Amino acid sequence: MSRLWVPRRVLVTPSAIARDSGAAMVERARALGSEIVALTADRLSGLPDTYRDAKTTMAIVTASASRRRLQPIPPSADWRYDLAEGCPAHCSYCYLAGSLAGPPIVRVYANLEEILGELPAALGQGRVTSVSADRAQEGTTFECSCYTDPLAIEHLTGSLAASIAYFGAWDAAVQLRFTTKFDAVGPLLSLPHRGRTRVRFSVNALAAERHEGGAPRMAARLAALRAMAQAGYPVGLTVAPIMRVPEWAEAYDALFASVAGALEGVAGVDLTAELITHRFTPKSKDVLVSWYPGSKLEMDEAQRSRKMTKFGSVKWVFPKEQMQEMRGTIEASLKRHLPFARHLYWT
Ligand code: SF4
């Protein structure tokens, strides 16, 4: 198993430490050797301004009412809720660069009960799986990995295990979903999940590993995928971000062959696949270039097509012909190696 992340400094607000779960997070971090800084007000202060210091800082806070409000999250799920914001890994394409503002610290929420308390009102209300003929059997879906990798910090928070147990005990057509690049699944294997949590492992062609500092290698993620499938969890692949790496067709074919190998002999696997191509925005490019000035990641507007997002901002995607070629080839590889996988979308 890969090494667990230990934040160098942990800031905790008075409201967070007053809760049992916040105090437990502090104790876990202290036991691992983090320096604990108890703040005197709920507003975060003294935040680091360098990338390096920010990425080794964790803040334990409570999620305000506005942060707890559920948001639709197409095409993945009906709703999004957050256990945390930020991630300790150093992926040079990280999608959080375009969505989170401020220094890239990890903020974790100590008021999970209140966060989960918002979920029942959304039952049957979504506009993605709830209204899709193909995905209706998933029920109302809730995604908790939009702004973090929840498994990367689970040894500090315990929030993912609590969410899995909450969905396991929720007698309704619901599903918890999360994506991870991490592999510390041991504590999740024996949870009473009752098939209501789908874990998707974020995987890619091997050439992508050079852009994924601080995340476990692909082989470790595949071993974790196998362990979760054996434990009866619905599982999935988030193939992202799909890039035109050298010999990309062979590279993605090899990826699906290794997934098939990892799942060999596991009975009754329920596997989905989500295929997401690399894109960037002017904002995410600026942030990523400042964080990873030496990165070889291609973010060249001249090689891309300009598209408008539904929020009216610009994103740069692969040109249409390249997109069609990649889609046809990669989807065919998926079908050949993993004919039992349910392909949810290409984007
Ligand atoms: S693991 Fe995911 S969230 Fe974390 S740095 Fe990498 S891309 Fe970003």
Side-chain angles (χ1 to χ4, degrees):
M1 199 184 70
S2 310
R3 217 152 36 96
L4 298 174
W5 179 60
V6 179
R8 203 167 54 74
R9 214 156 64 105
V10 171
L11 313 175
V12 56
T13 64
S15 298
I17 205 164
R19 295 171 188 262
D20 290 347
S21 53
M25 291 177 192
V26 167
E27 285 320 308
R28 289 185 199 113
R30 197 194 305 279
L32 289 170
S34 303
E35 174 200 355
I36 309 294
V37 180
L39 301 174
T40 51
D42 278 342
R43 205 183 144 73
L44 284 184
S45 55
L47 291 184
D49 45 17
T50 67
Y51 171 83
R52 200 190 144 114
D53 287 347
K55 275 281 186 175
T56 51
T57 299
M58 181 170 96
I60 308 175
V61 300
T62 48
S64 62
S66 63
R67 285 195 188 271
R68 298 199 304 268
R69 199 166 305 130
L70 299 177
Q71 304 288 340
I73 183 76
S76 166
D78 286 329
W79 302 106
R80 175 193 115 211
Y81 77 95
D82 299 319
L83 305 173
E85 281 188 9
C87 171
H90 306 273
C91 302
S92 56
Y93 54 71
C94 181
Y95 61 96
L96 296 180
S99 45
L100 295 181
I105 65 164
V106 179
R107 281 181 176 75
V108 301
Y109 296 134
N111 54 335
L112 184 64
E113 278 177 20
E114 279 175 309
I115 294 171
L116 294 175
E118 307 278 346
L119 273 42
L123 184 62
Q125 302 294 318
R127 281 170 289 174
V128 180
T129 53
S130 292
V131 295
S132 151
D134 289 345
R135 295 184 59 189
Q137 81 276 15
E138 295 177 48
T140 310
T141 43
F142 297 87
E143 173 79 55
C144 72
S145 53
C146 293
Y147 281 177
T148 187
D149 186 315
L151 191 55
I153 49 176
E154 175 63 6
H155 57 291
L156 296 158
T157 67
S159 302
L160 185 57
S163 291
I164 292 171
Y166 176 89
F167 275 79
W170 188 355
D171 261 324
V174 289
Q175 186 188 81
L176 171 65
R177 295 163 55 76
F178 70 93
T179 291
T180 185
K181 276 194 182 68
F182 282 73
D183 64 337
V185 293
L188 309 184
L189 298 177
S190 56
L191 293 175
H193 61 81
R194 295 178 66 203
R196 294 214 183 91
T197 294
R198 183 178 298 276
V199 49
R200 295 108 76 215
F201 287 88
S202 171
V203 291
N204 212 323
L206 276 181
E209 283 187 334
R210 65 197 297 228
H211 300 298
E212 298 177 340
R217 303 296 84 190
M218 225 63 76
R221 294 176 223 169
L222 295 186
L225 165 73
R226 178 179 178 86
M228 289 296 268
Q230 281 178 317
Y233 280 89
V235 292
L237 305 173
T238 306
V239 185
I242 295 174
M243 297 182 274
R244 285 179 81 83
V245 295
E247 298 179 349
W248 57 266
E250 292 76 11
Y252 285 98
D253 194 72
L255 166 68
F256 295 127
S258 31
V259 173
L263 291 175
E264 205 175 331
V266 185
V269 179
D270 174 354
L271 178 76
T272 56
E274 292 151 81
L275 274 52
I276 304 170
T277 53
H278 181 249
R279 70 272 326 272
F280 59 91
T281 65
K283 181 183 167 202
S284 70
K285 179 174 172 177
D286 278 355
V287 173
L288 289 170
V289 167
S290 74
W291 285 353
Y292 309 109
S295 169
K296 300 271 184 295
L297 181 72
E298 178 272 301
M299 286 192 286
D300 176 9
E301 291 82 355
Q303 297 186 40
R304 301 297 187 109
S305 289
R306 188 173 183 271
K307 260 187 115 173
M308 295 306 281
T309 69
K310 58 177 179 295
F311 305 109
S313 54
V314 170
K315 64 179 172 184
W316 295 95
V317 300
F318 292 115
K320 196 167 169 202
E321 305 73 49
Q322 288 185 9
M323 195 72 116
Q324 279 170 348
E325 181 194 19
M326 290 165 80
R327 181 173 188 169
T329 306
I330 292 173
E331 286 183 351
S333 279
L334 171 69
K335 229 181 194 142
R336 186 162 60 250
H337 291 292
L338 298 162
F340 56 93
R342 206 150 46 86
H343 177 205
L344 301 187
Y345 56 89
W346 168 284
T347 184

